[in-house]
């Protein structure tokens, strides 16, 4: 592999916790660990403790993946998914955020919401509400969802939206949201003037009157401006269209990849998409999916990895990979990924996103269906060893930070906080403390969307409009 | 007025707090009171204090009204609504509930959600999530929404749904929700069997495969069964179709009325609708919208009323009444309500729901647009005086409790808790303490939907199905 000199990057890495409000997410079988509190995911106290632990560890955010259907496919039924508690049962992570906010002061709170199934007006209101309640600490991870059961649950007909059309719909969804968040209420619309009996100046609140291909929305937005207005936008598009969408809208892009080369290519694609959208490198943080098992000593960390591997469920990983309708058991062990992709269909599209090395066979995929094999970034050891690896990865792969899978609650993030973060802070790679302010200030150093962000266009328009109206 | 002997009723009255996550709700102008914390409605600490105060006062629930559009109409624009902060700006109350749950142990937490604009699958998941997180303390107030700006915000075309059709849609929405909540997951589906590596028994989780006129939803539900499964159902239908809907679905019906006679008729209609739906009287609690200003002495309470009346805004009340598109200023002062109703249209439909005495004129309506005039239940005084009135009202109007408007945060509920509730407890009319359990147990004495409730049908079906499957 040739190592090109990395472009200039921020000194402070962004560490974020990846989890899902479900029993198992990317770590199948580990719910059986007696020390893992994950089966208590329906208890409010579980999530409050989680948020506090992550804040104690100085993470930038806790971040919820989400899935709004059962990923059937493997064996042709829901059976493995349900037995493994693979993403299901789950609960709606958005509902948990205000309780986590009340128990913390600094940490960002992010949730995944799809743009395909719900009206943008309702979504914009929910996230404005959460941005108020969290004091400007909310983030939204945008997904477009490509899961047959999700379509069935929301009444979307088969074939109603092809993969790329979901991004067209998402583009329009974003436009409506930006207009509600940035344009509808001018900065000084809320007066709270007790003497003259004016709470809001009606001249400074505007309808948006959006009439598009997919949505119609009049406004005005119902919420007065929240600290960040637009929540911090996370995105992880992996297709060509998805990468372009992320380049336009995302403020934090997270990448994965089956191989080191794939990760490197994905990071480069993300940076290129950002540039192609006319945005600056420093407007966007690119972080990688990762697993860190850190302990006092290398031996302790390796022992923990071994205990995880012992309980890990190959069935769960295979079912996860088969999620988009591709049942690997239908193929012989000798079938190559290229042969599967050549068959076309959503399963093949999903398959192609895994980026296996050329010629990988179904047999090899099944054999590698073990803890974390989907991503090369697994680091296991004492703080020094893991910090060395972090440094190397950041340089080699041009990364701004990590989205850390929670393998065991609360051990994973507690140990990252106790061992890894202080070591990185000593090396000047982590800020080592919260500096206050909103989540966007914490991650990107700026309170509102950058001027290069497409959402900022509407903010400008509102100011101009106001100027014209009252000129 | 003839007073018929009231039917046998529960000993313990249900007291609930009515509020809205907005600056002003049914109490226009009072945000200007220096002691009123309501302009802090976007702060999480405001709502946490509110929930704690209501729990300290031993209320059954805190209950959020909601409005998803601006009630324009008065003067033909949004101006009054915005100046008065009449319902707008607001935030989404559903987002606040988990934080309130974390700060309390017993009190119920209810929010209003419309059945007209969002997919039932998403709604069912949100409320299952909240029922888990609150430990079975969540309630849902069903509305169908008849507000032109809400339609515009969600892309519902003018005339797409007539008033009564919204209830057809609501009936189907309920059916989907009941099936997800009651039928999809059998009671013992979740096994958490660490030894045999089975979290959920797939044979006990069912798709619902709903295909209806308005919705299509496959399932299975994504959430494992929550403590109450179906949240406690509140409803306040006032039209004929609305009353019938409430009689079928509601577990708590709240009524209002412009006059004493109207309230009495509405209570009787509610009881009759419950009976017509084949449900028992004790399956449903009928409570009234009310205002209580209680203090140590009558003089203190009257002084507080006077301070409220001084700040009350007639403009706000008129704009509220004009909310559904009826601009009262279009009519001469001499126009009667019957003349307005005879014009037809949504504004007239709204007008007719106010139940003014026959012959009431626009001038009279305007003159009476003062604090609380929309409802006869305003009681002001020391604990003994107000408790006497409560006793009389309960007997005369056949009520099971009250939905108490919050006029000033936190004075209203603090004083009800300090003065009125202890007095009612001494008289055996209030339980005087929480007895634990879910909200449904607290209000209705039963953990799950009663067998007479339409939602329970699906629960039965699931059990039968399971029996068949495994016979």
């Amino acid at each position: 592999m040739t190592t090109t000199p990395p472009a200039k990057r921020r000194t402070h890495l962004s560490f974020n916790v990846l989890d899902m409000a479900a029993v198992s997410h990317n770590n199948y079988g580990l719910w059986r660990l007696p020390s893992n509190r994950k089966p208590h995911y329906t208890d409010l106290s579980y999530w409050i403790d989680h948020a506090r632990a992550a804040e104690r560890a100085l993470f930038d955010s806790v971040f919820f993946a989400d899935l709004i259907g059962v990923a059937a496919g493997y064996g042709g039924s829901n059976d493995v998914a349900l037995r493994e508690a693979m993403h299901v049962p789950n609960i709606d992570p958005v509902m948990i955020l205000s309780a986590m906010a009340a128990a913390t002061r600094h940490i960002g709170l992010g949730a995944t919401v799809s743009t395909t199934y719900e009206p943008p007006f309702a979504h914009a209101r929910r996230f404005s509400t959460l941005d108020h309640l969290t004091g400007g600490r909310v983030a939204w991870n945008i997904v477009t969802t490509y899961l047959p059961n999700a379509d069935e649950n929301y009444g979307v007909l088969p074939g109603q939206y092809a993969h790329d059309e979901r991004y067209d719909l998402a583009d329009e969804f974003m436009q409506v949201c930006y207009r509600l968040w940035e344009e509808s209420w001018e900065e000084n619309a809320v007066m709270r003037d007790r003497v003259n009996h004016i709470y809001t100046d009606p001249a400074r609140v505007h309808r948006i009157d959006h009439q598009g291909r997919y949505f119609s929305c009049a406004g005005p937005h119902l919420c007065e401006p929240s600290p960040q207005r637009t929540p911090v936008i996370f995105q992880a598009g992996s297709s060509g269209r998805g990468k372009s969408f992320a380049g336009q809208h995302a403020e934090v892009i997270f990448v994965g990849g089956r191989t080191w080369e794939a990760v490197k290519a994905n990071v480069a694609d993300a940076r290129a998409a950002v540039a192609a959208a006319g945005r600056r490198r420093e407007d966007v943080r690119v972080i990688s999916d990762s697993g860190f098992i850190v302990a006092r000593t290398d031996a302790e960390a390796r022992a923990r990895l071994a205990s995880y591997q012992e309980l890990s469920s190959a069935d769960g990983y295979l079912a996860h990979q088969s999620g988009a309708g591709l049942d690997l058991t239908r193929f012989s062990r000798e079938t190559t990924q290229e042969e599967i992709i050549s068959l076309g269909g959503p399963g093949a599209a999903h398959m192609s996103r895994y980026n296996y090395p050329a010629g990988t066979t179904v047999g090899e995929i099944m054999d590698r269906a073990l803890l974390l094999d989907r991503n090369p970034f697994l680091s296991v050891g004492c703080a020094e060893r893991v910090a060395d690896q972090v440094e190397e990865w950041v340089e080699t792969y041009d990364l701004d930070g990590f989205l850390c899978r929670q393998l065991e609650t609360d051990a994973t993030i507690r140990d990252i906080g106790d061992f890894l973060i202080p070591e990185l802070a000593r090396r000047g790679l982590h800020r080592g403390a919260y500096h206050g302010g909103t989540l966007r200030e914490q991650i990107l150093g700026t309170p509102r969307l950058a001027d290069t962000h497409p959402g900022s266009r509407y903010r400008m328009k509102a100011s101009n409009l106001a100027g014209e109206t009252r000129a």
Side-chain angles (χ1 to χ4, degrees), chain A:
Chain A
M1 183 189 310
T2 55
T3 50
T4 48
K8 190 165 164 286
R9 62 167 175 73
R10 295 181 160 272
T11 312
H12 292 152
L13 296 172
S14 179
F15 273 77
N16 307 271
V17 188
L18 172 62
D19 208 337
M20 183 171 168
V23 183
S24 301
H25 174 242
N26 294 350
N27 48 26
Y28 309 107
L30 295 195
W31 66 270
R32 293 182 297 149
L33 266 177
S35 55
N36 194 353
R37 291 178 61 207
K38 207 63 203 288
H40 297 277
Y41 75 101
T42 55
D43 296 348
L44 204 41
S45 62
Y46 174 93
W47 294 111
I48 289 170
D49 291 348
H50 173 56
R52 284 187 177 137
E55 181 161 285
R56 214 177 299 118
L58 301 176
F59 280 91
D60 277 354
S61 75
V62 294
F63 180 92
F64 284 99
D66 194 29
L67 212 67
I68 49 183
V70 184
Y74 179 63
S77 81
N78 295 339
D79 287 8
V80 176
L82 289 165
R83 273 206 314 273
E84 297 277 344
M86 181 188 98
H87 305 165
V88 180
N90 65 39
I91 56 176
D92 183 343
V94 176
M95 300 295 105
I96 314 174
L97 300 190
S98 74
M100 293 170 88
T104 54
R105 282 191 59 199
H106 300 289
I107 195 157
L109 302 161
T112 298
V113 177
S114 177
T115 49
T116 301
Y117 304 107
E118 297 196 73
F121 187 81
H123 174 76
R125 184 175 180 231
R126 284 188 194 107
F127 273 71
S128 289
T129 299
L130 290 169
D131 202 48
H132 276 298
L133 296 177
T134 63
R137 292 191 277 143
V138 81
W140 170 28
N141 178 40
I142 306 171
V143 293
T144 53
T145 312
Y146 204 93
L147 182 68
N149 185 235
D151 283 1
E152 291 179 320
N153 289 333
Y154 288 87
V156 169
L157 302 176
Q160 184 175 343
Y161 303 127
H163 175 274
D164 279 10
E165 188 172 5
R166 284 170 199 251
Y167 278 101
D168 296 341
L169 191 143
D171 274 329
E172 191 181 325
F173 191 104
M174 297 309 296
Q175 198 191 337
V176 175
C177 287
Y178 292 144
R179 294 190 65 187
L180 292 167
W181 286 328
E182 301 286 337
E183 174 185 336
S184 187
W185 288 62
E186 291 181 44
E187 205 61 46
N188 47 6
V190 174
M191 307 188 68
R192 289 191 199 86
D193 180 342
R194 284 189 156 89
V195 178
N196 296 304
H197 195 164
I198 303 172
Y199 189 87
T200 301
D201 176 0
R204 294 173 184 171
V205 177
H206 312 287
R207 286 166 64 103
I208 64 165
D209 284 322
H210 173 89
Q211 295 283 350
R213 180 166 168 204
Y214 301 103
F215 305 111
S216 154
C217 180
H221 195 34
L222 296 177
C223 305
E224 58 182 279
S226 66
Q228 301 187 116
R229 285 189 177 245
T230 297
V232 175
I233 308 260
F234 280 60
Q235 224 266 336
S238 55
S239 66
R241 185 71 176 82
K243 283 173 177 171
S244 147
F245 182 91
Q248 286 170 66
H249 298 282
E251 299 177 279
V252 179
I253 298 178
F254 55 96
V255 297
R258 169 72 52 181
T259 62
W260 300 104
E261 291 76 14
V263 172
K264 189 151 191 164
N266 286 335
V267 173
D269 286 353
R271 304 271 187 214
V274 167
R279 300 169 68 202
R280 293 165 301 209
R281 182 188 167 87
E282 63 265 33
D283 293 339
V284 181
R285 305 276 261 160
V286 179
I287 67 178
S288 170
D289 183 15
S290 58
F292 294 109
I293 301 175
V294 203
R296 210 170 300 274
T297 64
D298 285 346
E300 260 184 59
R302 280 197 301 264
R304 184 165 294 151
L305 172 63
S307 77
Y308 294 167
Q309 283 174 319
E310 194 188 321
L311 284 174
S312 282
S313 156
D315 258 14
Y317 287 93
L318 280 175
H320 184 156
Q321 291 185 21
S322 306
L326 179 69
D327 179 4
L328 282 179
T329 61
R330 287 195 296 130
F331 302 100
S332 73
R333 283 184 60 87
E334 289 70 38
T335 315
T336 63
Q337 66 157 342
E338 286 78 8
E339 288 170 322
I340 295 171
I341 291 167
S342 72
L343 296 173
H350 180 86
M351 185 75 196
S352 72
R353 286 207 290 280
Y354 275 97
N355 268 319
Y356 287 102
T360 299
T361 64
V362 165
E364 285 170 332
I365 292 168
M366 288 192 167
D367 293 342
R368 288 161 63 179
L370 285 168
L371 180 73
L372 287 173
D373 89 318
R374 284 183 55 213
N375 194 286
F377 292 109
L378 171 63
S379 184
V380 182
C382 68
E384 293 71 21
R385 180 173 309 279
V386 175
D388 286 349
Q389 210 142 41
V390 164
E391 277 206 73
E392 189 203 315
W393 288 342
V394 164
E395 295 297 326
T396 309
Y397 299 98
D398 191 18
L399 294 168
D400 300 318
F402 296 91
L403 190 59
C404 308
R405 299 185 185 190
Q406 174 145 265
L407 301 168
E408 177 189 349
T409 312
D410 304 306
T412 308
I413 58 180
R414 181 199 63 210
D415 294 344
I416 291 173
D418 286 353
F419 304 117
L420 179 60
I421 300 284
E423 177 61 27
L424 292 172
R426 268 190 292 276
R427 300 183 187 193
L429 292 166
H430 190 277
R431 54 181 156 66
Y434 291 108
H435 301 309
T438 64
L439 178 60
R440 185 174 281 109
E441 287 173 292
Q442 191 171 285
I443 295 188
L444 293 158
T446 170
R448 295 282 167 88
L449 287 174
D451 290 350
T452 53
H453 190 281
S456 71
R457 232 192 344 256
Y458 302 102
R459 181 179 63 208
M460 302 304 143
K461 190 175 162 206
S463 309
N464 294 342
L465 187 71
E468 285 161 24
T469 306
R470 277 171 286 112

